[in-house]
Amino acid sequence: MSTTSSDPLATLGTLPGVTDAVDSVRKAVDRVYGHRVMRRRSIEVTSEAALRGARGSAALSGADWNLEEVRRRTDFTGDSEARVVGAALRLTAEAGQLLSIWRQSPLRVLARLHLVAAGGAAPEDAVGRPRLAGEPVDEPLIEAPLPDADEVAGRLEGLSGLILSGSGAPALVTAAVVHGELLALRPFGGYNGLVARTAERIVLIGSGLDPKSICPAEVGHAEQGRAAYVAAFERYLSGTPEGMAAWIAHCGRAVELGVRESTAVCEALQRGAA
């Protein structure tokens, strides 16, 4: 990502199509927060959104399990798919605990997210730090060329600086850029997609757009499908205004689909069916 503005994220917010996406997301979020169930049972909605978000994120990373299987299982130490689902669940649970640290040190949070995701399944000396020159990356969904270790370090510092300096950009724009940049860099040896989507979640919560974490964008990313996710990400990689706008709009649609999912949960709770 590159722009010449002193507030590049805010500049992205003015791109054609992005303003409409931001407005549409805000209206959708406001509607679900206004649901009568949210007045008394918001904790239940948050819990269900976390479960469904984790399932969606795991699906994008190749572990497309049925929701009830995710709900039922307690042991995620088996095959690679089980480890991915376990990592997604741990990350979703951790996201809300890291908001204050994110505002002070995004890089510390990213390191913590990788540590949580790996859960002892990666070499200890490779966990919680950006990859070094020559170290491999296991991220089967994303096949774009890998930036080298020096570029990764520089761009992570740049991303951290953007977050710490503050921006007038809408939350959706910041969340989409954080998500896209982490996918582009793939800074860790594995679990980068899961970490990127969790970072998106943290931005949406911490910005105040979704303070109760009931709008799981991961659900929407999964619902749009892996092919659409990769295609939108490739638009991000182009670095063009049109490409960036397409990625942000894709992320906006993901949030809206997450809202739709949680609205259905609210309706089920209201009927006493969940």
Side-chain angles (χ1 to χ4, degrees), residues 63-205:
D64 193 0
W65 286 17
N66 179 277
L67 179 63
E68 293 312 312
E69 176 67 8
V70 177
R71 196 190 305 278
R72 180 188 68 82
R73 286 280 287 267
T74 57
D75 181 6
F76 298 96
T77 60
D79 60 20
S80 60
E81 286 196 7
R83 291 195 295 273
V84 166
V85 175
L89 288 166
R90 291 191 299 273
L91 285 170
T92 302
E94 188 81 2
Q97 310 302 314
L98 298 173
L99 297 176
S100 62
I101 303 173
W102 177 262
R103 298 184 185 103
Q104 299 169 2
S105 179
L107 298 185
R108 279 181 58 201
V109 170
L110 295 176
R112 173 64 183 170
L113 292 177
H114 185 244
L115 178 66
V116 168
E124 187 174 341
D125 65 349
V127 173
R129 62 155 176 80
R131 55 187 167 83
L132 303 177
E135 289 184 332
V137 172
D138 179 16
E139 199 64 49
L141 181 60
I142 304 300
E143 298 180 351
L146 274 172
D148 65 30
D150 288 342
E151 182 178 351
V152 168
R155 286 171 63 176
L156 281 176
E157 287 291 344
L159 181 64
S160 176
L162 279 177
I163 294 166
L164 292 174
S165 65
S167 171
L172 172 64
V173 172
T174 303
V177 168
V178 167
H179 183 171
E181 193 69 358
L182 291 174
L183 279 185
L185 296 178
R186 281 149 289 161
F188 304 110
Y191 301 104
N192 290 288
L194 294 176
V195 168
R197 291 184 288 275
T198 305
E200 178 184 50
R201 172 184 282 267
I202 288 172
V203 174
L204 293 172
I205 299 169

Side-chain angles (χ1 to χ4, degrees), residues 5-93:
S5 168
S6 58
D7 188 350
L9 295 177
T11 299
L12 292 175
T14 66
L15 292 174
V18 172
T19 300
D20 289 343
V22 168
D23 289 345
S24 184
V25 165
R26 168 52 71 187
K27 289 175 183 176
V29 172
D30 285 348
R31 282 195 299 271
V32 72
Y33 269 84
H35 197 287
R36 61 186 300 177
V37 165
M38 288 297 296
R39 291 198 292 271
R40 295 184 178 179
R41 305 183 71 177
S42 65
I43 293 175
E44 293 170 76
V45 181
T46 295
S47 178
E48 190 65 18
L51 182 73
R52 296 180 184 216
R55 193 218 72 83
S57 191
L60 286 170
S61 287
D64 193 0
W65 286 17
N66 179 277
L67 179 63
E68 293 312 312
E69 176 67 8
V70 177
R71 196 190 305 278
R72 180 188 68 82
R73 286 280 287 267
T74 57
D75 181 6
F76 298 96
T77 60
D79 60 20
S80 60
E81 286 196 7
R83 291 195 295 273
V84 166
V85 175
L89 288 166
R90 291 191 299 273
L91 285 170
T92 302

